[in-house]
Amino acid sequence: MGLSDKETEVIDEVITNTRLLTWNQLINYVYATPPIREGKEAHMLKFRRI
């Protein structure tokens, strides 16, 4: 089973948004995402299905 068109679109967007980032910029990008930003420390992440 392959990826949906939406999943491919999201992956392409992440690659486009992060490919030129430094390590620190990448970490900041990840920490700004809703699953990380809204999650509680030491708890399992809950991802929304797109």
Side-chain angles (χ1 to χ4, degrees), residues 6-21:
K6 183 63 176 174
E7 290 168 328
T8 302
E9 181 183 324
V10 169
I11 291 168
D12 287 344
E13 183 178 342
V14 169
I15 291 169
T16 297
N17 290 342
T18 61
R19 68 178 164 209
L20 299 176
L21 297 181

Side-chain angles (χ1 to χ4, degrees), residues 3-41:
L3 297 173
S4 71
D5 289 342
K6 183 63 176 174
E7 290 168 328
T8 302
E9 181 183 324
V10 169
I11 291 168
D12 287 344
E13 183 178 342
V14 169
I15 291 169
T16 297
N17 290 342
T18 61
R19 68 178 164 209
L20 299 176
L21 297 181
T22 65
W23 178 252
N24 286 335
Q25 290 169 325
L26 178 62
I27 295 301
N28 290 336
Y29 180 90
V30 170
Y31 275 89
T33 62
I36 302 296
R37 190 179 65 238
E38 297 166 7
K40 294 183 178 152
E41 190 174 335

